């Protein structure tokens, strides 16, 4: 008798949750379930998050994945995606990454929005999207794919909630009108050594385009971005591994510096 699972939305969500809980990576789900398409992958993502909410987590925002060309090339995909943030993913500023809770964490710099009012798509332009933004911050996202060597197809990573793990937001609050976000520069360092540089234009040409993309994509699924939510607009650069004892920092022109250690 076969011990292979009967693949469906519920099975895939359970497999991904178990991989996260046990810190065990695996091959792409599409390798076992070739019928997993993008639409079904978002159903898996929704089931995954519903189970996390049922377990006591709270949705605090959304994240855009694979918005920069660098990230798309690194992961071998050609489309950005949307995913979810919960309170359990938030790291207070100054608290190190708990690597013992993760599989193979990587860190990437982000431009972060906090919404001042609801944003409803579809049909939202970048300019309209920015009107909903109350504040802009520097951020670092810790990603941690449940797939071995971060190798996956677009449906795999969508189902896995875009490799979500942790995120931290900087302490300097800026008004959107005070910054040219397309030109906002970022220098990413590991243990004081510069590894990448980028500007806000790396994210869809302007982070506002990423926000509009999120509003429109979620709007087509009947979801409204809520006032007070955090939006991670996508990695400006490729992600770097972080290991115990290391320190990753991102220094922005106007948004300030943010530092993240690991234990």
């Amino acid at each position: 008798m076969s011990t292979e699972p009967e693949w469906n939305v519920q099975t895939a969500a359970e497999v991904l949750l178990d991989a996260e809980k046990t810190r065990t990576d695996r091959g792409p789900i599409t390798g076992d379930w070739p019928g997993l398409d993008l639409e079904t992958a978002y159903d898996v993502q929704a089931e995954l998050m519903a189970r996390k909410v049922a377990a006591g987590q709270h949705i605090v925002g959304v994240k855009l994945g694979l918005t920069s060309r660098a990230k798309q090339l690194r992961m071998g995909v050609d489309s950005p995606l949307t995913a979810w943030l919960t309170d359990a993913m938030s790291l207070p500023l100054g608290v190190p990454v708990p690597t013992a809770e993760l599989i193979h964490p990587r860190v990437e710099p982000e431009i972060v929005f906090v919404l001042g009012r609801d944003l409803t798509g579809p049909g939202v332009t970048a300019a309209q999207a920015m009107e909903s933004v109350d504040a802009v911050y520097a951020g670092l996202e810790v990603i941690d794919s449940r797939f071995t060597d971060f190798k996956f197809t677009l449906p795999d990573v969508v189902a896995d909630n875009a490799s979500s793990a942790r995120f931290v937001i900087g302490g300097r609050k800026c008004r959107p009108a005070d910054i040219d976000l397309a030109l906002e520069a970022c220098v990413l360092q590991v243990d004081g050594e510069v590894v990448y540089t980028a500007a806000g234009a790396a994210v869809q040409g302007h982070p506002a385009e990423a926000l509009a993309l999120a509003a429109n994509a979620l709007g087509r699924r009947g979801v409204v971005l809520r006032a007070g939510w955090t939006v991670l607009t996508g990695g400006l650069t490729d992600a770097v591994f972080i290991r115990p004892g290391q320190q990753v920092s991102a220094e922005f022109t106007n948004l300030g510096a943010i530092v993240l250690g690991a234990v």
Side-chain angles (χ1 to χ4, degrees):
M1 181 179 295
S2 173
T3 59
E4 290 296 315
E6 180 181 344
W7 286 97
N8 54 39
V9 168
Q10 289 72 29
T11 301
E14 186 174 342
V15 164
L16 289 168
L17 282 171
D18 184 66
E20 181 179 354
K21 181 180 179 180
T22 62
R23 299 179 61 244
T24 305
D25 54 350
R26 53 158 291 134
I29 289 175
T30 50
D32 298 314
W33 186 14
L36 179 63
D37 57 19
L38 192 57
E39 182 177 354
T40 307
Y42 275 112
D43 292 338
V44 175
Q45 184 190 97
E47 176 67 19
L48 185 78
M49 299 312 298
R51 294 185 184 208
K52 291 192 175 206
V53 169
Q57 297 186 34
H58 301 281
I59 300 294
V60 296
V62 299
K63 56 171 281 187
L64 276 290
L66 309 181
T67 51
S68 75
R69 188 58 183 155
K71 288 290 292 180
Q72 290 173 8
L73 288 171
R74 170 68 178 80
M75 298 306 178
V77 301
D78 57 9
S79 302
L81 54 92
T82 59
W84 297 98
L85 302 174
T86 73
D87 57 338
M89 301 174 191
S90 177
L91 276 177
L93 192 62
V95 173
V97 177
T99 58
E101 299 176 7
L102 305 173
I103 301 170
H104 41 195
R106 294 178 173 178
V107 181
E108 57 191 28
E110 307 246 354
I111 290 175
V112 181
F113 294 145
V114 174
L115 301 184
R117 64 188 190 194
D118 289 358
L119 180 59
T120 305
V124 172
T125 66
Q128 291 168 337
M130 284 305 295
E131 291 175 359
S132 72
V133 176
D134 176 65
V136 186
Y137 295 87
L140 289 171
E141 184 184 8
V142 181
I143 57 174
D144 190 37
S145 176
R146 269 52 70 174
F147 301 119
T148 304
D149 296 330
F150 280 77
K151 292 182 179 178
F152 44 67
T153 68
L154 189 58
D156 289 304
V157 70
V158 165
D160 193 31
N161 199 48
S163 308
S164 60
R166 303 288 189 275
F167 68 93
V168 58
I169 297 174
R172 181 179 296 180
K173 176 181 178 180
C174 293
R175 296 189 309 166
D178 293 341
I179 308 174
D180 186 335
L181 288 174
L183 296 180
E184 180 70 6
C186 172
V187 177
L188 187 70
Q189 300 183 61
V190 177
D191 292 337
E193 180 180 347
V194 175
V195 288
Y196 293 117
T197 60
V203 176
Q204 297 290 291
H206 191 290
E209 296 286 354
L211 178 59
L213 184 153
N216 293 330
L218 292 169
R220 285 189 287 271
R221 301 201 293 272
V223 178
V224 176
L225 275 70
R226 297 299 182 185
W229 275 8
T230 296
V231 180
L232 304 186
T233 59
L236 294 169
T237 71
D238 198 0
V240 295
F241 281 110
I242 187 168
R243 298 176 175 85
Q246 286 188 318
Q247 190 175 80
V248 176
S249 64
E251 186 169 351
F252 290 79
T253 306
N254 298 287
L255 297 174
I258 181 169
V259 179
L260 181 63
V263 293

